[in-house]
Amino acid sequence: MTQEIIPAGKRLALSSGLAGLSGARPLLDRTGTVARLADILRAQITEGGLPPGTQLAEHAVAEALGVSRNTLREAFRLLAHEELVVHEPHRGVFVRTPDAGDVRDIYTTRRLVECAAVRNADSAPSGAVAEIRAVVNAAQAAAAEQRWNDVGTADLRFHSAIVALAGSRRLNDMMRRVLAELRLVFHMMADPHRFHEPYVHRNAEIAALVERGETDAAVGALLAYLDDAERQLLTGIAERSTQSSESIT
Amino acid sequence: MTQEIIPAGKRLALSSGLAGLSGARPLLDRTGTVARLADILRAQITEGGLPPGTQLAEHAVAEALGVSRNTLREAFRLLAHEELVVHEPHRGVFVRTPDAGDVRDIYTTRRLVECAAVRNADSAPSGAVAEIRAVVNAAQAAAAEQRWNDVGTADLRFHSAIVALAGSRRLNDMMRRVLAELRLVFHMMADPHRFHEPYVHRNAEIAALVERGETDAAVGALLAYLDDAERQLLTGIAERSTQSSESIT
DNA sequence: ACGGTACGGATTGTTGAGCAATCCGGCAAG
DNA sequence: CTTGCCGGATTGCTCAACAATCCGTACCGT
């Protein structure tokens, strides 16, 4: 009611000058302790510092990170919602241990989403394909220096860039979560180098096809990629489970 | 998921007789207060009891629901992660007010996911198409009795059933969240009957095409459906925003 | 030995209160 | 009409406590 007095001219003059600042806002509004907590824990989990199955006792973690038990619980809720952690009532939270069903589920959603995103490459938002190329280059650089962990992150970022072709924030967020989960599976595998090494070349191939606009071929290559990776992860998990059951008996 | 704590021998002996009970488990393991809180609030929000923009003051809500402020905060984190609610630091949580950008984003992910799911109808999990038919019948029954709100829920469940054709739990969860968000948009529209009424017939048509295995035609009809709905929602939001800005000037 | 059971310790679930940090609205001064 | 400041209210986070639940273990009768 009271603001109708602002002259339209002055308002426009200001908005044009401040338009560039709206993008910088996310850097300012630091979300607070619990978001930072979740970041730390998420990083520790996806980086392998906290192997699947590890229990995260509230008292211990709260004291270790110097935060209250209640705030930590809020962070746990977030991670549980992202499925990086499972919350068993009255027992505690544990780093998730994905099983074969999870891997299959993850790869069916990846097949569906990533292939559809590539098919949409024509009407992709500007800069999306450039981002793909950049990530591929980073992966090749990391591979040349034998930094296999970085190769893994580059791989996941590559597929995030693929999904970004669809141009939907919600889709990006969802796949970022799924790929973080997938990283848990990577850490359950033996020989990460062996696993990641062949895919950097295939990623580059897919990127080239997308750049050249041969979307059908790109989709085919991507499908083959996903099938191979799924198969490999499933056999890896199978070996691991048989060996663990042997160790129990 | 797996409960590998049980000795393998005992597990096999029991699992044959108890396999039918695994489905009843979710009824037993009551997750606790915060999950119930989130359910209540989610229902209130999606049902329209808490219109977009409403502030949810911690003290007031906590007292109203007879729960501690800390527990309520945990529930808020969940809803914020589901984007039903926005969390502005040091200001509070508000029921989300989706804008035109949100509608466009939601519909691009819907187009991508739902169409791909229908294309996968051949290898859909058993019972998925039957579920679609059941939901369509429910929608028609509700429409015959002029229960437009129930028509809206049936519509969303219809599309959940469509997504279920893909056979991925993660995809189902994600789309359930997106559709709940979409419901917020519905509540911002005037004349819900007018909006929902034509779609019950189009849903039935799509269901018939899927049942008959004419997936290409089904995809086409679904695409047209989504485009029309998006257009309609966008104009509705545009009207609303202009009228609100008029009320300010 | 073996299945059942009761007990004790430890962890989680939830509460309530408290304090610092921050935001909002209004009021006074320039 | 802007600027700065103050008071009230709300949030962010902590702390301590208690109830509920789970786990391992020792105990029991057979």
Side-chain angles (χ1 to χ4, degrees):
Chain A
M1 332 175 128
T2 59
Q3 338 194 291
E4 53 176 321
I5 308 130
I6 304 178
K10 192 167 216 171
R11 246 194 116 198
L12 281 173
L14 285 175
S15 67
S16 66
L18 296 170
L21 295 183
S22 59
R25 246 173 61 189
L27 300 176
L28 259 297
D29 58 9
R30 311 233 9 84
T31 343
T33 311
V34 21
R36 237 167 316 179
L37 264 184
D39 287 346
I40 293 177
L41 292 171
R42 193 182 301 114
Q44 281 288 321
I45 292 173
T46 58
E47 229 65 43
L50 297 171
T54 310
Q55 175 165 15
L56 302 174
E58 295 184 352
H59 182 66
V61 178
E63 188 150 9
L65 295 180
V67 300
S68 170
R69 202 158 69 89
N70 283 333
T71 18
L72 181 65
R73 280 175 133 267
E74 293 186 27
F76 279 166
R77 295 282 177 188
L78 289 187
L79 297 177
H81 206 267
E82 297 175 14
E83 311 213 54
L84 282 182
V85 125
V86 290
H87 186 98
E88 303 193 25
H90 282 283
R91 298 211 348 116
V93 317
F94 303 80
V95 180
R96 191 129 191 271
T97 353
D99 59 5
D102 290 317
V103 172
R104 271 188 285 268
D105 194 89
I106 288 178
Y107 273 86
T108 66
T109 93
R110 286 189 71 183
R111 263 188 289 271
L112 189 142
V113 173
E114 295 191 26
C115 291
V118 167
R119 279 203 198 85
N120 191 42
D122 299 332
S123 52
S126 69
V129 298
E131 170 70 9
I132 292 180
R133 168 55 54 192
V135 175
V136 165
N137 290 340
Q140 289 173 329
E145 304 174 15
Q146 313 267 339
R147 313 191 59 201
W148 301 113
N149 196 29
D150 291 355
V151 174
T153 66
D155 184 45
L156 296 183
R157 282 184 51 206
F158 170 77
H159 290 279
S160 287
I162 290 282
V163 175
L165 290 174
S168 160
R169 181 181 67 78
R170 282 159 182 79
L171 221 45
N172 291 346
D173 289 351
M174 184 224 181
M175 287 309 283
R176 193 161 32 78
R177 267 175 260 153
V178 169
L179 293 177
E181 220 184 314
L182 189 58
R183 205 163 207 209
L184 274 184
V185 184
F186 288 167
H187 285 295
M188 295 172 61
M189 300 279 294
D191 257 343
H193 354 130
R194 264 313 224 333
F195 176 72
H196 283 303
E197 199 253 333
Y199 292 115
V200 22
H201 180 253
R202 299 178 74 164
N203 281 346
E205 223 165 37
I206 295 174
L209 290 173
V210 170
E211 284 174 332
R212 263 184 270 138
E214 309 179 18
T215 63
D216 281 343
V219 169
L222 183 56
L223 257 178
Y225 173 113
L226 292 172
D227 286 342
D228 288 348
E230 179 185 17
R231 196 168 10 250
Q232 209 167 336
L233 287 178
L234 283 176
T235 66
I237 286 215
E239 288 174 8
R240 196 186 142 95
S241 68
T242 57
Q243 113 189 11
S244 72
S245 69
E246 284 169 1
S247 72
I248 289 181
T249 10
Chain B
M1 343 267 179
T2 59
Q3 44 281 87
E4 53 271 4
I5 309 106
I6 305 176
K10 193 168 214 169
R11 230 195 127 196
L12 281 173
L14 288 175
S15 67
S16 64
L18 295 171
L21 294 183
S22 59
R25 244 173 63 188
L27 301 176
L28 260 296
D29 59 8
R30 309 236 10 85
T31 348
T33 310
V34 22
R36 236 168 315 177
L37 265 184
D39 287 345
I40 292 177
L41 291 171
R42 193 182 301 115
Q44 281 288 320
I45 293 174
T46 57
E47 229 65 43
L50 297 171
T54 310
Q55 175 166 15
L56 302 174
E58 295 184 352
H59 182 66
V61 178
E63 187 150 8
L65 295 180
V67 73
S68 171
R69 201 157 71 90
N70 282 325
T71 1
L72 181 64
R73 279 175 133 267
E74 291 187 28
F76 279 165
R77 295 282 177 188
L78 288 187
L79 298 177
H81 206 266
E82 297 175 13
E83 310 213 54
L84 282 181
V85 125
V86 290
H87 186 98
E88 303 193 26
H90 281 284
R91 298 210 349 113
V93 316
F94 303 80
V95 180
R96 190 129 192 272
T97 328
D99 60 4
D102 290 316
V103 172
R104 270 188 286 268
D105 195 88
I106 288 178
Y107 272 86
T108 67
T109 93
R110 286 189 71 183
R111 262 189 290 270
L112 189 142
V113 173
E114 296 191 27
C115 290
V118 167
R119 278 204 198 85
N120 191 41
D122 299 332
S123 53
S126 69
V129 297
E131 170 71 9
I132 293 180
R133 168 55 54 190
V135 176
V136 165
N137 291 340
Q140 288 173 329
E145 304 174 15
Q146 313 267 339
R147 313 191 58 202
W148 300 113
N149 196 29
D150 291 356
V151 174
T153 65
D155 184 45
L156 296 183
R157 282 183 52 206
F158 172 76
H159 291 278
S160 287
I162 290 282
V163 175
L165 290 174
S168 160
R169 181 180 68 76
R170 273 159 250 272
L171 222 44
N172 291 346
D173 288 351
M174 184 225 180
M175 288 309 283
R176 193 161 32 76
R177 266 174 260 154
V178 170
L179 293 177
E181 219 184 316
L182 189 58
R183 204 161 208 212
L184 275 184
V185 184
F186 288 167
H187 284 297
M188 294 172 60
M189 300 280 293
D191 257 343
H193 354 131
R194 259 325 216 331
F195 177 72
H196 284 304
E197 199 252 334
Y199 293 115
V200 22
H201 180 252
R202 298 178 76 163
N203 281 347
E205 223 165 37
I206 295 173
L209 288 173
V210 170
E211 284 173 333
R212 263 185 269 139
E214 308 180 20
T215 64
D216 282 344
V219 169
L222 184 55
L223 256 179
Y225 172 114
L226 292 172
D227 286 342
D228 288 347
E230 178 185 16
R231 195 168 10 249
Q232 208 166 338
L233 287 178
L234 283 177
T235 66
I237 287 216
E239 289 174 10
R240 196 186 143 95
S241 70
T242 58
Q243 113 189 12
S244 71
S245 70
E246 283 170 2
S247 73
I248 290 182
T249 14

